[in-house]
Amino acid sequence: MFGKTILGTILMAALSVAGAEAQNLSSAAHSKAHKQLLAKAAESKDQIKLIDQSSYVDFNDDLEPEIDIFTEGWNSKSVNPFKEADVPSTKVIDVTGYAMPHKGKITSNYGYRARFGRMHKGVDIGIRSNDTIYAAFDGKVRLTNYEAKGYGNYVIIRHPNGLETVYGHLNRHLVKPDQTVKAGDPIGLGGNTGRSTGPHLHFETRFMGYAINPAAIFDFANHTTHTDTYTFSKKTYTQPRNFAPSRQNEIHNPYKQGSEMAATYTVKSGDTVAAIARKYGMSATTLRRLNNMEKTDPIRTGMILKLK
């Protein structure tokens, strides 16, 4: 009996040691396996991040997107929604494809009005009540609004060339915000609303909030633009230009070198449509129109162009 007890005790001790060793081995193996799982999980996490990133980044497209002119300040109710810090010092603006907002005569020029102690930031064009007013360039209507102590009923259109045009004192809007218009489309009926003493159109041309003198772009007397491009400059945007074919303006017009009496011009070697147009005080668009030419039509040496 005693022998059996001793043997049992020895067996129990042996089993206990074996169990402890087995537990230690299992713990070590588990620890190693756990580390391996963590490493694999980290690798998988990194792979997931890479896949997620590559799913929305186009690494083949390294070009900056074009600026959408119908974004900055588009929903603003302000006439000037732009930030001064973003306005370039100079900018060449394409003014081809224009239409006159109205063919009436200028009744009040752009400039400082001592009588009111403030700037007149556009020109006033004489109209009859309910005359049709037209979009000056292709574009999209940004705002239609009413201002009792200022513009009255007015329309603001933003154009792809970077300009915004303002049409004030309307009796009625004929367009709505976000509507796309073409140059020459009716956008309102002229009137006498707001701060006005009689029927007229208040017309502004703005570049990123800067109210350019409209007479720097348009020759209102001849219902055309002075040239095909206008160069905006923070130093000169308030100044008008006058390329009208008259003797008194020849001294002030560096481009007016041709005879005002000439009815035709014979193309010489090296001539361009733009250079000939400048020489005779008109835009290239006007010269092409006089000669029934498309914008892509070439000119040839010896070709005779009409100037009137």
Side-chain angles (χ1 to χ4, degrees), residues 150-169:
Y151 293 103
N153 287 314
Y154 66 95
V155 172
I156 298 179
I157 303 175
R158 187 171 292 185
H159 308 286
N161 61 8
L163 292 176
E164 283 196 335
T165 48
V166 183
Y167 312 77
H169 306 305

Side-chain angles (χ1 to χ4, degrees), residues 242-262 278-281:
N242 192 345
F243 294 162
S246 63
R247 292 184 185 277
Q248 64 182 15
N249 292 323
E250 286 183 7
I251 296 174
H252 306 290
N253 180 4
Y255 299 111
K256 182 68 177 66
Q257 300 170 359
S259 168
E260 65 178 359
M261 301 302 294
R278 286 196 301 267
K279 185 176 181 180
Y280 288 91

Side-chain angles (χ1 to χ4, degrees), residues 40-57 59:
K40 288 181 179 179
E43 289 175 1
S44 298
K45 187 177 180 181
D46 289 341
Q47 288 174 353
I48 290 169
K49 284 184 177 179
L50 180 60
I51 292 169
D52 287 346
Q53 185 181 35
S54 64
S55 68
Y56 64 80
V57 176
F59 294 103

Side-chain angles (χ1 to χ4, degrees), residues 72 80-91 206-211 232-234 237:
E72 184 172 359
N80 177 13
F82 297 96
K83 299 175 183 178
E84 167 63 27
D86 296 332
V87 182
S89 296
T90 61
K91 173 70 175 180
R206 289 176 173 261
F207 175 69
M208 299 192 73
Y210 276 70
F232 165 81
S233 166
K234 289 182 178 180
Y237 73 95

Side-chain angles (χ1 to χ4, degrees), residues 61-233:
D61 185 7
D62 58 355
L63 298 176
E64 287 290 331
E66 291 186 5
I67 296 172
D68 184 352
I69 67 163
F70 301 117
T71 54
E72 184 172 359
W74 183 256
N75 296 318
S76 171
K77 299 300 182 183
S78 173
V79 173
N80 177 13
F82 297 96
K83 299 175 183 178
E84 167 63 27
D86 296 332
V87 182
S89 296
T90 61
K91 173 70 175 180
V92 177
I93 299 170
D94 183 350
V95 293
T96 58
Y98 68 91
M100 302 304 293
H102 190 278
K103 291 187 176 181
K105 294 182 179 180
I106 300 297
T107 58
S108 182
N109 290 311
Y110 173 103
Y112 182 75
R113 286 177 164 179
R115 176 183 172 188
F116 299 107
R118 61 183 175 82
M119 277 289 293
H120 184 225
K121 295 183 178 180
V123 295
D124 291 344
I125 302 173
I127 63 167
R128 294 172 299 181
S129 186
N130 290 320
D131 273 357
T132 304
I133 307 303
Y134 303 96
F137 302 100
D138 294 353
K140 185 184 286 188
V141 178
R142 178 169 71 82
L143 182 64
T144 62
N145 207 351
Y146 176 76
E147 188 179 283
K149 296 182 179 180
Y151 293 103
N153 287 314
Y154 66 95
V155 172
I156 298 179
I157 303 175
R158 187 171 292 185
H159 308 286
N161 61 8
L163 292 176
E164 283 196 335
T165 48
V166 183
Y167 312 77
H169 306 305
L170 304 175
N171 274 346
R172 180 183 171 191
H173 308 126
L174 297 180
V175 290
K176 298 178 180 180
D178 294 321
Q179 181 177 334
T180 299
V181 296
K182 293 290 186 181
D185 281 354
I187 54 96
L189 300 180
N192 188 31
T193 59
R195 190 175 182 179
S196 172
T197 57
H200 71 279
L201 171 67
H202 175 80
F203 177 63
E204 295 183 13
T205 48
R206 289 176 173 261
F207 175 69
M208 299 192 73
Y210 276 70
I212 298 166
N213 188 336
I217 297 173
F218 291 95
D219 176 355
F220 290 97
N222 295 295
H223 309 143
T224 185
T225 52
H226 294 297
T227 50
D228 287 345
T229 60
Y230 166 73
T231 302
F232 165 81
S233 166

